Amino acid sequence: QDGLKQCLAEFRQKLAWVERLDVTLGPVADPVSQSASASDAVDPENDFQREMSFYRQAQAAVLEALPRLRKLQVPTRRPDDYFAEMAKSDQQMQKIRQKLKSKQEAMERSEKAKQLRAMRKYGKKVQVEVLQRRQKEKKNMLNAVKKYQKGLSDKLDFLDEEQTSSQGNKKGNASQRTKKGPNAKRRYKNQKFGFGGKKKGSKWNTKESFNDVSSFQSKVAHNKGPGKGGRGGKGGKKALNKRPGKRARQKMKNRAR
């Protein structure tokens, strides 16, 4: 401690305050609490309190130094024609400005690309859901038609569902109605003729139809009923416009030549 005091006495100079301009004060009183905040009351980990303490301390130094400078007739305002040269050149500032601009444009492009990817992902998800729903509806419809054709079910609920869906489509756009879905005539024929389902094997006998002989008539089956052309039958007539066979037609062509 003695050595420090000796060093301080060696380089200390007796100068006027206007040459030193040193002001050491505590922080100014807080206008909210009307009291000066002590140093131990400031939380150093709180950025806002720390910066406000620095600000109030600088404010107290300004309030103390300005009246003393005016009393000594020292100007404290910058003249209007004062020219302060920048520390960096215009070329360097232009490079920095271009770099910041290019960085901002790259960030905007990246954000737009991110939004486009999100929109494509959402659109693809919606499209997949629509296709899956259509496939499920089509599968349920085909299963219901097959059950009806095989005689396992006598319900035609799928026709009602198709009609309700077609009525819902009518409420949509007119152009979409013309492009998507059948018209009224086609829907009526689909309802009448079974939606163009499986035709092959539709007339095959089942176990129930094979055992059911209630509608069997022997006279009709053996061509012996009235109006039939069997042996001993009444009213039997030969076909007058019977088409000749292939070989007979070929002979007729050769004779004509």
Side-chain angles (χ1 to χ4, degrees), residues 5 8 50 56 70 76 96 105 114 136 192 233:
K5 290 181 178 180
L8 180 61
R50 187 175 65 250
R56 287 196 298 269
R70 288 172 185 168
T76 57
I96 296 174
E105 291 177 353
K114 191 182 297 183
K136 186 177 179 180
K192 184 178 179 181

Side-chain angles (χ1 to χ4, degrees), residues 166-227:
S166 62
Q167 290 176 359
N169 291 333
K170 284 182 181 179
K171 297 179 182 178
N173 194 359
S175 60
Q176 292 181 356
R177 286 205 309 270
T178 55
K179 293 180 180 179
K180 297 181 180 180
N183 53 14
K185 185 177 179 181
R186 182 71 265 168
R187 289 197 300 272
Y188 173 75
K189 288 188 176 182
N190 289 342
Q191 183 179 358
K192 184 178 179 181
F193 297 107
F195 284 80
K198 182 180 178 181
K199 299 296 188 300
K200 185 176 179 181
S202 61
K203 295 185 178 181
W204 287 356
N205 279 334
T206 60
K207 185 176 180 181
E208 291 78 7
S209 64
F210 179 77
N211 295 329
D212 186 13
V213 293
S214 59
S215 61
F216 177 74
Q217 297 180 7
S218 59
K219 293 182 179 181
V220 176
H222 296 293
N223 204 8
K224 293 182 179 180

Side-chain angles (χ1 to χ4, degrees), residues 222-241:
H222 296 293
N223 204 8
K224 293 182 179 180
K228 303 296 180 180
R231 258 188 293 175
K234 299 180 181 180
K237 296 182 180 180
K238 294 182 179 180
L240 300 177
N241 297 327

